[in-house]
Amino acid sequence: GEVVVAPSRAGLDEEEEAREETPEDREIRREIEKKRYRQEIEVLWSCAEESLVCSRFIVAIGRNAAAFLSSFILDSVCWEVIGVVKLWNEWCRTSSTTNVLPTDSFCLFYRLIADPTVLLCQCSCYVAEDQQFQWLEKVFGSMQKKGLQVTILSTCPVADYKTQESTLTLVSPFLKALKTKEFQEQVCCPLLEQPNIVRDLPAA
């Protein structure tokens, strides 16, 4: 008899999956890419300063980190909104308004009223892989970088955390840190163990 192999997607590599793309899929993808490249990332500041003097810059990336900032740091009148990032991709469409208004679609920048050199960025919108360099270039291009300390807050699912311990017994949420060799202060929590990695905009 003849051995008939049942069709299965298991074991297909990315090249084989890419070959299954229909002409309609390709056309939609091309149109989205064209639109994304036409929509340049813009950083709009409400202050007229050419270069912001900044000693500490805290960036919360993702909805959970942005919500943490809202609940525990921004929940006071000590901060003022001083800027936004406008961008467009498949998952994030910021409006064409130039007003600095709190909205989920924007990356918002806040300044501490008591110390204007302390800035926060609440980035709850998705920044696509090919937009990350431009985002960094535009945001950090507006700041003086001498003596600048950058802190990034981000989250990932416990299921993505690699450990020899069972993830079922982990007390979550838990906090881990990564630091550069230039950071000389004591970290507030244990360091992230290998082979765990940081991805996307926080890694950039």
Side-chain angles (χ1 to χ4, degrees):
E2 185 181 345
V3 177
V4 179
V5 180
S8 169
R9 293 186 60 79
L12 286 179
D13 61 20
E14 287 176 20
E15 287 178 3
E16 286 175 323
E17 284 185 23
R19 277 188 235 126
E20 292 175 15
E21 193 176 47
T22 66
E24 292 83 11
D25 291 340
R26 277 193 297 277
E27 185 59 33
I28 291 166
R29 189 171 42 78
R30 272 197 298 268
E31 286 305 311
I32 288 171
E33 283 171 1
K34 272 193 242 169
K35 185 153 187 178
R36 189 194 289 177
Y37 293 129
R38 283 197 302 268
Q39 307 280 335
E40 201 167 310
I41 291 174
E42 277 184 90
V43 180
L44 307 172
W45 299 101
S46 61
C47 46
E49 299 165 42
E50 271 187 31
S51 185
L52 292 165
V53 177
C54 186
S55 61
R56 288 182 184 257
F57 184 40
I58 300 165
V59 188
I61 300 170
R63 292 191 180 279
N64 292 335
F68 175 82
L69 269 194
S70 291
S71 301
F72 296 102
I73 298 175
L74 294 170
D75 193 21
S76 67
V77 291
C78 304
W79 301 90
E80 61 178 340
V81 178
I82 61 157
V84 296
V85 174
K86 285 172 55 182
L87 56 90
W88 189 100
N89 59 49
E90 299 90 309
W91 296 277
C92 175
R93 292 165 172 79
T94 57
S95 65
S96 57
T97 181
T98 55
N99 294 337
V100 178
L101 294 170
T103 164
D104 264 354
S105 302
F106 287 121
C107 296
L108 284 167
F109 296 96
Y110 297 85
R111 179 163 54 191
L112 185 62
I113 294 168
D115 181 357
T117 67
V118 177
L119 300 183
L120 294 181
C121 174
Q122 199 176 25
C123 183
S124 56
C125 66
Y126 173 76
V127 180
E129 204 172 279
D130 58 350
Q131 295 177 313
Q132 290 166 11
F133 178 74
Q134 193 184 109
W135 190 96
L136 293 165
E137 202 176 39
K138 295 281 176 82
V139 170
F140 284 97
S142 310
M143 296 177 190
Q144 289 183 9
K145 287 170 264 319
K146 190 176 180 184
L148 173 62
Q149 181 181 309
V150 181
T151 303
I152 298 159
L153 305 172
S154 69
T155 59
C156 73
V158 175
D160 291 349
Y161 180 62
K162 293 168 183 66
T163 177
Q164 291 183 349
E165 190 183 337
S166 168
T167 52
L168 297 172
T169 61
L170 285 172
V171 178
S172 60
F174 57 88
L175 191 63
K176 298 283 181 174
L178 282 176
K179 68 182 188 71
T180 61
K181 62 179 183 276
E182 283 79 19
F183 185 81
Q184 298 302 319
E185 295 175 32
Q186 192 168 346
V187 291
C188 62
C189 60
L191 294 176
L192 186 67
E193 310 92 336
Q194 291 182 349
N196 291 289
I197 59 170
V198 175
R199 294 182 172 83
D200 302 321
L201 190 58

